[in-house]
Amino acid sequence: MIAFASRTGNVRYVASQLNVPIVEIAPELRITEPFILFTYTDALGAVPASVEAFMRDNSAHCVGIFASGNQNFGHDFFARAGDVLAATYHVPLLKKIDVRGTKADYEHMKQLYNDLMKVGYIQ
């Protein structure tokens, strides 16, 4: 499963294109099975508050992170929420995409998801 947060709809759109189980992050959501987090990046590289709160309660089951950002903000800030979350929760950052990404990004994300399924990390 992919648990995602989307403020502008870009992450929601990408998640919907992956054809894998997805769930949108909500304050009361608790996940008790392995999942990949898919987040946007707020402001200049910040982790969205809703994502931080979600990860405090659910990070034990997170096996990887996808992050969306905007390359217009520069290399240091591009999808930086993924870098911060990966370092904070000791989870691999699997992929960064620019805004809505490309079809090639979607295929790569699906492949990463399927690879984790094959080794039994996610369902």
Side-chain angles (χ1 to χ4, degrees):
M1 169 189 329
I2 294 176
F4 72 91
S6 185
R7 180 176 41 126
T8 63
N10 290 327
V11 170
R12 180 180 300 106
Y13 174 81
V14 175
S16 74
Q17 299 303 299
L18 301 179
N19 297 316
V20 302
I22 60 174
V23 62
E24 190 159 4
I25 290 171
E28 67 283 350
L29 180 64
R30 298 297 175 265
I31 298 180
T32 58
E33 63 187 68
F35 69 93
I36 295 172
L37 173 69
F38 187 8
T39 184
Y40 63 96
T41 299
D42 221 357
L44 287 176
V47 175
S50 62
V51 173
E52 183 59 47
F54 171 79
M55 285 297 282
R56 278 195 300 272
D57 293 331
N58 293 281
S59 65
H61 297 289
C62 185
V63 298
I65 298 170
F66 296 147
S68 174
N70 188 323
Q71 290 186 358
N72 290 338
F73 291 108
H75 178 73
D76 291 340
F77 300 115
F78 172 61
R80 187 170 176 268
D83 297 316
V84 171
L85 289 163
T88 301
Y89 295 100
H90 309 289
V91 176
L93 176 59
L94 302 171
K95 177 104 178 133
K96 290 182 175 184
I97 66 167
D98 188 29
V99 189
R100 279 195 178 193
T102 64
K103 288 187 182 198
D105 289 327
Y106 306 166
E107 290 303 316
H108 188 215
M109 293 166 80
K110 281 193 270 192
Q111 184 61 54
L112 291 165
Y113 181 91
N114 289 330
D115 289 349
L116 287 173
M117 282 187 69
K118 287 177 189 171
V119 296
Y121 286 122
I122 57 175
Q123 301 167 355

